[in-house]
Amino acid sequence: MMSVQRFAVIAVSVCGSLAAVLLGIAAAADFGGIDPVGRIAALGVALAWFGASAAGPAYYARHLGEDTSEQRRIVRLTVLTQVFSVALAVAAVSRNLAVTWVSLETTTIVGAFLVAAGDDRRDALEAAWKFAILCFAGVGFGLVGIGLLAASAKGIPGVVPTNLDSLALVAHRLDPRLLSLALAALLVGFGTKAGLFPLHWWLPDAHSQGPTPVSALMSGGLVATSLAVIVKVLATLQGVALVGAFQHVLIGSGVVGLFVASFSMIDQRDSKRFLAFSTAENVSVMAIAVGVGTPLALAAFAVHLLAHAAIKTSAFLSLGALVACRGSRDTDRLAGAIGRMPGATSVLLVSIAALAAFPPSPLFVSEVLLVFAAFGAHMPWLALAVTGLLTVAFVATAQFAVTACLGADKARSAKGQRLARLYTAVSLAPIALAVGVTLLRPDWVLALVRGVAIATTGRMPW
Amino acid sequence: MSGLTFALAAISALASLLLVWEKSVSGSAVIYAVQAACVAGIALAGARDAGLLVLAIAVVALLAKAIVLPIALRRTVARAGSSIVVDASVHTPAALLVAFALIAVGFLAIGSVSAPAGLALGETLVGLWLVASRRALLSQVVGLMAAENGAALLMVVLAGEQGALVEGLLLLEAVAIPLALLALAALVRRAHGSADTSLLRSLSGNRDEG
């Protein structure tokens, strides 16, 4: 007979999956008047939320044995995953900075305990501590930024300083000195949550040490939401002269971050940590796109954000199946898994190929768009730097794929456990959707991408 | 800006310098309580005419920041053992000089807009400096709590007229973050058998795993 705890895990996960699907439909169909950047972020959150929720019962099944305290821990973990996801969804769609701040603060509080629940207890706690300290400091800066933004609007009648729509109407009347400080604080605050260089130090640890569904949720959803908030703030102030300086900061952060992440991916033996550095790499690409700031670059940003959320969710979930089976995250020990777990390994292989921007990956589309945008913005050096560094990341990713998915089977004994086939099916869904959308290019997606460019720059991307 | 607001902000800034100087976490908890009482007092003074809800939130924030949290911190210290003393990676005189400089930076940045806001920004920076320069888990928590006090003061001074919204944000920040950190610190200490963050260095990423 099914225990109450097992039933609770399944029930909560099913509810979460349904909520994620509803969020995705609402964002895709433009219900509720969400702005285009919010819709893109909400779609990213929905994909990661669905993956983390639907895969949860199968992933945690091995912990739901006879031990009731362990069962209760998994129930708590499942509930916290849903709280984290709901907070992300609210932050993604909100146009009020105070609401966004509370939501992202909630993700930090809940996220710390989610990361701490990783299988390797001591390392997971270390990662959780780094995540908590850095992100709490970051969101503290975010609060300072909101306060300074409010101060910059002081004396302007009728303005609600935490509401982006209200601020957009008076953007040119805000006190420029306070506004520059506010933007700096907001960039540090939300940039810390997004994992922008050099505020990304928590990211490789937290994304690699947490339970796999949590890693997928953080890499797919948290990063998307935090970046979207930065874009929303910059879009609100479009036309204000000093925003250009912050876009240059984003380009600098992105290029150095891309350099650091790409080279950190080379010969990375911890497979989950490899994916975490890949997230840092993709965050950097998106930061560069926002920094370039042309309509084409913002279109590239939108495609990249959505594609990365889908692909990374699939990559983490499929890798989770292999890690559970092998009982190790070591890349060498995953080798040969294709013979034992062809389904999960194939999903991982496809995900890794997509992360390497191998056509028809949507990341190929976004990266080509970004390079064109950089040339179009008279930044040929940036286009060349991005191309060079993405080549390094491509080589590192190919090396990882060959070692982890196609290498000879070196495992003497399999001490892990196999996950249910449903888990593999769930891990396949996000990437299948991403590649399908890339091939079919439905009108609503093109309209949404165009909408992001128009909302952030006021001009059509093509 | 009233003279009382400036006086409380100045005491609060002074408290952040004392936190750099104080050696024990228990003593830091008392200093934090004074600092938090000043910040919450300014919020409460601003909330007097803003309606019952805002006033209620401000009172709860004052109780939480100035009484509940310092007690929780001292209890955590007692549970961890009475020997917890701040273990700084920077000598106290140097740390104090940096803290003075950070207060000055904050004041120069936005002091012309509002002197208490300048002090508040300085307090935030000093709190973050405490986090960066301390090794013991609980003293990092104190540093972050002090930084949150600074951020809260800044919000009250610059955006206080937003009423319930600001008070709500401050209450969340005042209670949720420190409690979450104290709980996490207890878990880390239990797992690692130490409250020294210098031991938390196992995540190199390239080690052999079982």
Side-chain angles (χ1 to χ4, degrees):
Chain A
M1 204 179 86
M2 187 186 285
S3 70
V4 175
Q5 282 80 8
R6 189 182 287 259
F7 176 77
V9 168
I10 292 172
V12 172
S13 300
V14 167
C15 290
S17 307
L18 288 175
V21 170
L22 287 176
L23 175 69
I25 291 171
D30 196 12
F31 287 147
I34 310 168
D35 66 287
V37 179
R39 284 172 65 196
I40 283 281
L43 277 170
V45 171
L47 284 164
W49 185 2
F50 173 79
S53 299
Y59 183 81
Y60 297 123
R62 60 206 162 110
H63 298 284
L64 290 168
E66 299 300 313
D67 185 349
T68 49
S69 68
E70 182 68 358
Q71 287 179 354
R72 277 198 289 270
R73 187 179 77 85
I74 299 302
V75 173
R76 278 198 301 272
L77 193 54
T78 309
V79 171
L80 285 179
T81 302
Q82 300 309 321
V83 174
F84 186 91
S85 305
V86 170
L88 274 185
V90 172
V93 301
S94 173
R95 296 283 296 165
N96 187 309
L97 280 177
V99 174
T100 301
W101 184 86
V102 170
S103 305
L104 287 179
E105 183 81 309
T106 306
T107 63
T108 309
I109 294 168
V110 175
F113 291 99
L114 286 174
V115 172
D119 286 341
D120 193 341
R121 186 77 172 145
R122 284 166 63 93
D123 286 353
L125 278 166
E126 179 180 339
W129 185 256
K130 280 186 196 170
F131 171 75
I133 285 288
L134 282 170
C135 288
F136 279 139
V139 290
F141 265 107
L143 190 61
V144 168
I146 294 170
L148 289 168
L149 202 56
S152 74
K154 225 167 200 170
I156 303 175
V159 67
V160 182
T162 53
N163 185 298
L164 292 175
D165 294 322
S166 178
L167 280 173
L169 298 173
V170 296
H172 289 277
R173 293 168 64 192
L174 300 173
D175 182 322
R177 188 155 160 250
L178 286 172
L179 185 59
S180 62
L181 288 168
L183 274 178
L186 289 171
L187 194 60
V188 170
F190 297 126
T192 305
K193 294 288 290 186
L196 285 181
F197 181 88
L199 310 162
H200 71 293
W201 292 111
W202 61 270
L203 191 152
D205 293 341
H207 287 208
S208 61
Q209 295 300 324
T212 293
V214 174
S215 305
L217 196 51
M218 284 190 154
S219 265
L222 181 59
V223 160
T225 303
S226 306
L227 279 170
V229 174
I230 292 172
V231 173
K232 281 184 195 180
V233 172
L234 292 179
T236 300
L237 303 169
Q238 60 179 286
V240 177
L242 60 88
V243 168
F246 284 92
Q247 286 179 311
H248 283 112
V249 170
L250 280 173
I251 291 177
S253 160
V255 171
V256 182
L258 187 56
F259 178 88
V260 171
S262 300
F263 281 95
S264 300
M265 285 160 68
I266 294 176
D267 204 24
Q268 181 60 250
R269 283 180 60 192
D270 184 328
S271 53
K272 282 185 79 178
R273 205 171 169 83
F274 171 85
L275 288 185
F277 274 116
S278 160
T279 300
E281 175 227 333
N282 285 288
V283 167
S284 301
V285 170
M286 288 186 264
I288 292 170
V290 177
V292 173
T294 61
L296 195 60
L298 267 301
F301 163 79
V303 174
H304 204 96
L305 188 146
L306 201 48
H308 177 256
I311 296 167
K312 198 48 74 65
T313 301
S314 285
F316 263 115
L317 291 180
S318 52
L319 177 63
L322 265 63
V323 169
C325 175
R326 296 295 197 171
S328 169
R329 293 199 308 265
D330 195 309
T331 308
D332 287 335
R333 295 190 193 187
L334 299 180
I338 198 157
R340 298 183 188 214
M341 300 190 72
T345 313
S346 302
V347 175
L348 180 61
L349 197 56
V350 172
S351 305
I352 295 297
L355 280 175
F358 207 81
S361 166
L363 292 183
F364 174 76
V365 178
S366 60
E367 288 171 6
V368 168
L369 285 178
L370 175 58
V371 171
F372 277 119
F375 276 119
H378 307 294
M379 298 177 183
W381 62 270
L382 180 62
L384 292 174
V386 168
T387 308
L389 292 170
L390 285 176
T391 307
V392 174
F394 178 87
V395 170
T397 310
Q399 182 193 31
F400 175 81
V402 168
T403 312
C405 303
L406 303 174
D409 194 344
K410 293 175 190 168
R412 292 185 188 87
S413 62
K415 57 183 178 181
Q417 294 168 29
R418 288 181 185 227
L419 304 184
R421 283 192 182 156
L422 175 67
Y423 182 90
T424 307
V426 168
S427 68
L428 177 64
I431 191 164
L433 198 64
V435 174
V437 162
T438 310
L439 292 173
L440 298 173
R441 283 176 290 159
D443 286 342
W444 69 268
V445 172
L446 293 176
L448 184 54
V449 171
R450 255 198 309 269
V452 170
I454 295 168
T456 47
T457 65
R459 288 175 286 148
M460 293 279 278
W462 53 76
Chain B
M1 181 199 69
S2 71
L4 178 67
T5 302
F6 181 76
L8 288 175
I11 294 170
S12 177
L14 187 66
S16 68
L17 292 173
L18 283 174
L19 282 173
V20 178
W21 174 78
E22 175 58 41
K23 297 283 184 212
S24 73
V25 179
S26 297
S28 298
V30 176
I31 298 169
Y32 168 80
V34 173
Q35 187 187 44
C38 291
V39 174
I42 294 172
L44 192 59
R48 270 182 314 185
D49 306 322
L52 200 60
L53 174 68
V54 179
L55 195 63
I57 300 173
V59 170
V60 174
L62 174 65
L63 294 174
K65 281 172 87 80
I67 297 170
V68 177
L69 283 176
I71 289 174
L73 190 60
R74 287 177 73 98
R75 279 195 176 179
T76 309
V77 172
R79 238 179 269 140
S82 57
S83 62
I84 286 196
V85 170
V86 169
D87 184 11
S89 53
V90 179
H91 289 301
T92 304
L96 269 172
L97 270 178
V98 173
F100 270 116
L102 290 173
I103 295 265
V105 165
F107 203 82
L108 286 174
I110 54 169
S112 58
V113 179
S114 155
L119 292 171
L121 185 59
E123 276 176 51
T124 308
L125 297 174
V126 171
L128 295 175
W129 167 240
L130 275 170
V131 175
S133 62
R134 294 285 164 85
R135 287 206 292 259
L137 288 173
L138 291 177
S139 42
Q140 286 190 348
V141 175
V142 171
L144 203 59
M145 286 158 73
E148 303 293 354
N149 266 344
L153 181 54
L154 198 76
M155 277 296 280
V156 169
V157 172
L158 295 180
E161 71 273 15
Q162 295 297 310
L165 183 69
V166 168
E167 297 292 347
L169 287 181
L170 300 188
L171 184 60
L172 176 76
E173 196 189 27
V175 180
I177 294 179
L179 289 183
L181 277 174
L182 286 176
L184 203 57
L187 289 175
V188 173
R189 197 179 50 76
R190 214 178 298 156
H192 286 263
S194 168
D196 186 349
T197 52
S198 62
L199 296 172
L200 301 179
R201 297 196 191 284
S202 66
L203 293 177
S204 62
N206 266 328
R207 73 211 157 86
D208 199 16
E209 290 183 53

